[in-house]
Structure formats: C-alpha cells, structure tokens
Amino acid sequence: NAGVTQTPKFQVLKTGQSMTLQCAQDMNHEYMSWYRQDPGMGLRLIHYSVGAGITDQGEVPNGYNVSRSTTEDFPLRLLSAAPSQTSVYFCASRKQGLSNQPQHFGDGTRLSIL
Amino acid sequence: KQEVTQIPAALSVPEGENLVLNCSFTDSAIYNLQWFRQDPGKGLTSLLLIQSSQREQTSGRLNASLDKSSGRSTLYIAASQPGDSATYLCAVSMDSNYQLIWGAGTKLIIKP
C-alpha cells in the first residue's frame, strides 16, 4: 500500500515558469488537500477537495490551481512561479465523514523559485 | 480566528527522561485535535487524534491529553529515546470539514 505519493521530490524553477506538482493516493480517500510549509510557520492550506469534481480554496490559494478529475489524483499547478512560492509542499488525504480518521501525508515536494 | 501555539519551539533532553510537549489554542470549540511527527526531509505522520468528546488518547509510550476549556493539549512521551528526535506538530479542526489549523511545531532532540 503506497499511501500518498508526491512527485517530484525536488524542483528548481525560474521566476515565471509554470509546473504541476503531482499527488496520488491509493486509499480511496475522498478528501485531499495541499499545504505549504515555510520555516517557523505552521502548515497553511492552499486548496482542498472533498471528492472528484469538487475543489475549494484554502487559506493561501493565490497563484495556484487544482483539479480533481479522479478520486486518486489531485495535482497542484503553479501558474507563473514567484520567489514567494519557494516552500515545501505537502499533499494529504483522509477518509471523509468520520471524526476519528487522521490525515495521511506524502513526503513533500521541495520547490525553489529563482 | 483560531490560533494554535506550540511552546517551546525547540527542546533538548537526555535519553530516558519523560517529557511533555505543549499545544494551546484560542478557540475552545474544536472538532478534534491531532498530534503529528515530522522527520527531517519527510512528510508528517499522525501520532494521535483526540475527538472533542475525549480527554486523552494513548499509543505506546505516547499519551495526548485535551482540555478544551483551557484551550490546551499536551503530548507526554515516556522514557524518551534518540529515535524520538523529530519535530512534533499539533493541529486542530473546527468542524467536520476538517480544515486543519496548525501550530509551528516543537523540535525535539533526545541526547544519547
């Protein structure tokens, strides 16, 4: 059971470039989300999805797009990379509808914008 | 607006000691609270989840308590080991939509 898989693990971009961070889970979880983690701060929610075809914004959505065409995949797109988007990005998933279900995290994508 | 605070930001203790990590939150109307562990260069692993109706949860050498009225949770680690060295984060959710609000974490170092 692979859990939550994120690719790539590392990426360096130039300002203005676009890219897609991939996230896949094999646990049939309805809920998926993207966070960014910056030094000295808690994780901040970028976008989330409660099922295929449904997405919504989190705390810091600007500059990012998401889509959820399948239950398994939840890609995050950076439209025009900026140095402020240098961060570690985590994808997470969980079973929806039960209060005792923890979130499962991928190992993260470390992104640097030059 | 809910705010989650973890103090101290870093803690170093000798191996074998029992220790307590703290998490405080400003709005007591939480849905649940989770403790996570993060190893360097890795993702987060859920350690314990306490639902709003519960007072504590235990897993092995770990015990997490919840006092909603005072806005506090503690993570107790018994007989600490070097392998416990990691960053520990707590997060609360306010409703069944389960959006997590995070503390910045406590970096724990257990000295052999």
Side-chain angles (χ1 to χ4, degrees):
Chain A
N1 191 340
V4 179
T5 303
Q6 291 185 235
T7 57
K9 294 189 182 302
F10 302 92
Q11 185 69 50
V12 178
L13 293 177
K14 295 181 179 179
T15 297
Q17 288 186 314
S18 62
M19 80 159 293
T20 299
L21 281 61
Q22 301 292 342
C23 176
Q25 53 90 11
D26 61 0
M27 297 172 282
N28 201 32
H29 287 169
E30 298 91 347
Y31 182 94
M32 296 185 73
S33 56
W34 278 100
Y35 294 91
R36 60 178 289 173
Q37 184 178 38
D38 299 295
M41 301 179 67
L43 278 74
R44 291 182 291 171
L45 182 65
I46 304 171
H47 285 285
Y48 66 98
S49 169
V50 298
I54 305 169
T55 63
D56 208 344
Q57 297 181 349
E59 179 184 359
V60 288
N62 292 341
Y64 308 95
N65 274 356
V66 292
S67 60
R68 184 91 180 271
S69 57
T70 67
T71 299
E72 295 79 17
D73 299 299
F74 191 44
L76 177 72
R77 298 182 185 85
L78 278 70
L79 308 173
S80 178
S84 61
Q85 293 179 305
T86 294
S87 188
V88 182
Y89 291 84
F90 288 102
C91 179
S93 74
R94 73 170 181 94
K95 191 70 176 171
Q96 183 77 341
L98 298 173
S99 64
N100 63 349
Q101 295 299 305
Q103 292 210 20
H104 298 259
F105 282 78
D107 284 345
T109 295
R110 283 144 188 84
L111 183 63
S112 293
I113 314 297
L114 305 178
Chain B
K1 179 183 175 184
Q2 177 72 277
E3 293 183 359
V4 180
T5 304
Q6 293 184 250
I7 297 174
L11 181 64
S12 179
V13 301
E15 178 180 6
E17 284 198 3
N18 302 325
L19 60 97
V20 173
L21 305 180
N22 297 298
C23 174
S24 61
F25 45 93
T26 55
D27 185 342
S28 62
I30 65 171
Y31 186 70
N32 62 34
L33 181 146
Q34 289 186 73
W35 282 93
F36 292 84
R37 169 183 174 141
Q38 184 175 26
D39 293 286
K42 294 293 187 180
L44 288 76
T45 301
S46 180
L47 297 173
L48 291 165
L49 183 151
I50 310 177
Q51 299 180 65
S52 62
S53 59
Q54 297 175 323
R55 295 300 301 269
E56 65 177 355
Q57 283 284 343
T58 298
S59 176
R61 294 182 294 108
L62 305 179
N63 175 276
S65 67
L66 175 64
D67 183 346
K68 286 199 306 178
S69 61
S70 66
R72 295 189 178 199
S73 176
T74 62
L75 179 66
Y76 175 82
I77 303 177
S80 59
Q81 304 169 358
D84 295 329
S85 297
T87 296
Y88 291 81
L89 298 101
C90 73
V92 302
S93 65
M94 303 304 294
D95 54 37
S96 59
N97 287 327
Y98 207 122
Q99 307 313 323
L100 290 176
I101 303 162
W102 295 81
T106 295
K107 183 176 182 179
L108 177 64
I109 298 173
I110 307 298
K111 297 176 289 186

